[in-house]
């Protein structure tokens, strides 16, 4: 038997047609429909017998600090501590940079004239007839060299080292207050802090032991004996920089300074004479020194004349002036068994180093 025929107007829109009707075999009889029952729970039943659709948050405890806030505070504290640590101690510092500053090793050699010291009241004539005739005056005689970066130091760091070394040379060799006024602070502020005790002891208790001579740190005349006849001091020399390792930059300087001097209080008409000092200095810089504009002075070799070998030049230089000659005899004897003393040295000032008047 076939199924009921379709209406003459065709199968209604949306109704399954023919054998495609999937639900013809599903029949709900009357007993099934009566057994089906819809049950609506009362409001009380929904409250007591069924879990609410929305969960309530547990009440927030007052007066306590949540775990998230505590963790955040700890993270901020760690970050600040790290920033402060890195600011005080840069990460690029190496163990070599923490090494204490070495004590300065110095040698001061007096140069005795072979004849009477020449002199004249005309200072310009003195210079014009001396080897210093072509020297520049003042700080112009301490020019900076052409600088280049090294493997571990930038152009700026190399220039900083050269500028600091130049400042030290200029202040310790050309400043009138340092030369005859007894000032030391302009030089002291440029030194590494590890050398300040040695520097102070050199001026408090001078000694010719190769460690504590004020004239090893700076040029210093005896103001009771001489004064500057001209503050336009002549200077000439060289500077160079090179790194010794990844943490250290070295600067070496070699300059000759020529001073016109006359007896203290003698007046403008008194005869003047020339006094020559050659200073060979070796500076050492770590990154802290560069940042602080300071230097570690490692060695200082000084030759100065005309001086008498019989006088100790450690505390102050006492030049021989116009018309004077060197005393007979050499420097004071040295005990070869005393390991803490420097050997006594003295040289001869060449005739060509004096003006030819």
């Amino acid at each position: 038997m076939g199924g009921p025929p379709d209406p003459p107007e065709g199968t209604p829109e949306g109704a399954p047609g023919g054998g495609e009707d999937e639900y013809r075999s599903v029949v709900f009889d009357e007993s099934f429909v009566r057994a089906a029952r819809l049950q609506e729970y009362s409001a009380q039943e929904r409250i007591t017998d069924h879990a609410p659709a929305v969960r309530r948050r547990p009440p927030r405890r007052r007066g306590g600090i949540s775990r998230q806030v505590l963790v955040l505070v700890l993270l901020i504290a760690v970050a600040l501590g790290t920033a402060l640590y890195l600011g005080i101690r840069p990460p690029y510092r190496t163990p070599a940079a923490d090494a204490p500053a070495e004590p300065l090793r110095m040698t001061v050699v007096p140069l005795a004239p072979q004849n009477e010291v020449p002199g004249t009241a005309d200072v310009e004539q003195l210079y014009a007839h001396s080897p210093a005739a072509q020297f520049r005056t003042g700080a112009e005689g301490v020019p900076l060299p052409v600088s280049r970066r090294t493997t571990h130091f930038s152009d700026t760091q190399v220039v900083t080292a050269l500028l600091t070394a130049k400042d030290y040379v200029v202040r310790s060799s050309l400043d009138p207050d340092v030369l005859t006024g007894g000032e030391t602070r302009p030089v002291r502020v440029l030194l590494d802090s590890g050398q300040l005790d040695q520097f102070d002891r050199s001026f408090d208790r001078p000694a010719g032991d190769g460690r504590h001579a004020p004239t090893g740190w700076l040029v210093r005349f005896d103001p009771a004996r001489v004064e500057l006849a001209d503050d336009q001091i002549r200077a000439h020399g060289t500077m160079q920089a090179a790194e010794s390792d990844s943490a250290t930059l070295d600067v070496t300087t070699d300059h000759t300074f020529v001073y016109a001097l006359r007896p203290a209080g003698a007046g403008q008409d008194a005869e003047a004479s020339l006094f020559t000092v050659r200073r060979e200095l070796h500076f050492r810089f770590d990154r802290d020194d560069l940042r602080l504009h300071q230097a570690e002075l490692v060695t200082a070799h000084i030759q100065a004349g005309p001086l008498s070998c019989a006088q100790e030049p450690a505390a102050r230089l006492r030049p021989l002036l116009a018309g004077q000659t060197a005393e007979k005899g050499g420097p004071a004897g040295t005990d070869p068994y005393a390991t803490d003393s420097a050997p006594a040295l003295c040289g001869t000032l060449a005739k060509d180093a004096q003006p030819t008047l």
Side-chain angles (χ1 to χ4, degrees), residues 202-290:
S202 298
F203 290 89
D204 294 339
R205 299 187 299 277
D209 58 359
R211 290 288 190 273
H212 301 96
T215 50
W217 298 99
L218 46 81
V219 178
R220 195 183 208 197
F221 298 112
D222 185 353
R225 184 182 181 90
V226 301
E227 64 182 30
L228 291 173
D230 181 16
D231 57 2
Q232 297 298 309
I233 301 163
R234 305 307 198 263
H236 176 75
T238 60
M239 302 174 63
Q240 61 181 359
E243 70 172 51
S244 56
D245 55 52
S246 61
T248 308
L249 192 62
D250 290 349
V251 173
T252 55
T253 66
D254 185 355
H255 292 88
T256 299
F257 302 92
V258 184
Y259 307 86
L261 304 175
R262 62 183 172 219
Q268 299 289 334
D269 297 332
E271 285 193 338
S273 59
L274 297 184
F275 186 82
T276 304
V277 178
R278 181 175 179 179
R279 307 183 74 202
E280 299 172 72
L281 308 178
H282 176 195
F283 300 91
R284 181 171 295 160
F285 299 85
D286 58 26
R287 286 182 170 83
D288 276 350
D289 290 328
L290 295 174

Side-chain angles (χ1 to χ4, degrees), residues 33-339:
V33 174
R34 290 179 179 177
R37 181 172 64 93
L38 295 177
Q39 182 178 359
E40 178 68 21
Y41 293 101
S42 65
Q44 183 63 33
E45 288 175 331
R46 287 197 298 269
I47 294 174
T48 57
D49 297 338
H50 295 79
V54 180
R55 291 183 300 169
R56 295 182 178 179
R57 285 187 175 182
R60 182 177 299 178
R61 291 177 294 177
R62 298 182 179 274
I65 301 177
S66 68
R67 182 177 300 175
Q68 291 85 351
V69 174
L70 182 60
V71 171
L72 180 60
V73 171
L74 290 176
L75 289 175
I76 293 175
V78 171
L80 288 176
T82 304
L84 289 174
Y85 176 81
L86 294 178
I88 297 173
R89 183 186 179 94
Y92 49 70
R93 291 187 65 182
T94 62
D98 293 331
E102 296 182 9
L104 169 62
R105 303 186 304 276
M106 61 185 70
T107 305
V108 182
V109 181
L111 302 176
Q114 301 179 41
N115 300 307
E116 182 180 292
V117 178
T120 178
D122 189 345
V123 174
E124 291 299 328
Q125 185 179 0
L126 275 175
Y127 282 124
H129 291 82
S130 75
Q134 303 302 319
F135 287 9
R136 296 181 179 181
T137 59
E140 293 182 357
V142 190
L144 292 176
V146 176
S147 60
R148 295 184 179 87
R149 63 171 300 149
T150 65
T151 304
H152 299 95
F153 292 89
S154 66
D155 290 330
T156 301
Q157 290 174 317
V158 173
V159 171
T160 298
L162 289 169
L163 283 172
T164 304
K166 175 178 178 175
D167 283 349
Y168 188 95
V169 171
V170 169
R171 296 186 190 186
S172 62
S173 309
L174 300 174
D175 187 341
D177 291 335
V178 172
L179 298 175
T180 58
E183 286 290 334
T184 61
R185 187 178 183 279
V187 178
R188 188 180 187 274
V189 295
L190 293 175
L191 287 172
D192 185 288
S193 59
Q195 292 187 311
L196 296 182
D197 287 343
Q198 182 189 7
F199 181 87
D200 293 340
R201 180 183 169 187
S202 298
F203 290 89
D204 294 339
R205 299 187 299 277
D209 58 359
R211 290 288 190 273
H212 301 96
T215 50
W217 298 99
L218 46 81
V219 178
R220 195 183 208 197
F221 298 112
D222 185 353
R225 184 182 181 90
V226 301
E227 64 182 30
L228 291 173
D230 181 16
D231 57 2
Q232 297 298 309
I233 301 163
R234 305 307 198 263
H236 176 75
T238 60
M239 302 174 63
Q240 61 181 359
E243 70 172 51
S244 56
D245 55 52
S246 61
T248 308
L249 192 62
D250 290 349
V251 173
T252 55
T253 66
D254 185 355
H255 292 88
T256 299
F257 302 92
V258 184
Y259 307 86
L261 304 175
R262 62 183 172 219
Q268 299 289 334
D269 297 332
E271 285 193 338
S273 59
L274 297 184
F275 186 82
T276 304
V277 178
R278 181 175 179 179
R279 307 183 74 202
E280 299 172 72
L281 308 178
H282 176 195
F283 300 91
R284 181 171 295 160
F285 299 85
D286 58 26
R287 286 182 170 83
D288 276 350
D289 290 328
L290 295 174
R291 178 174 56 85
L292 298 172
H293 193 62
Q294 295 176 343
E296 177 185 344
L297 184 56
V298 182
T299 60
H301 182 68
I302 315 299
Q303 300 176 66
L307 288 171
S308 176
C309 291
Q311 295 182 353
E312 174 61 59
R316 295 180 184 272
L317 299 174
R318 295 178 173 87
L320 296 174
L321 301 175
Q324 295 180 337
T325 57
E327 299 178 18
K328 299 297 182 181
T334 300
D335 182 1
Y337 295 97
T339 58

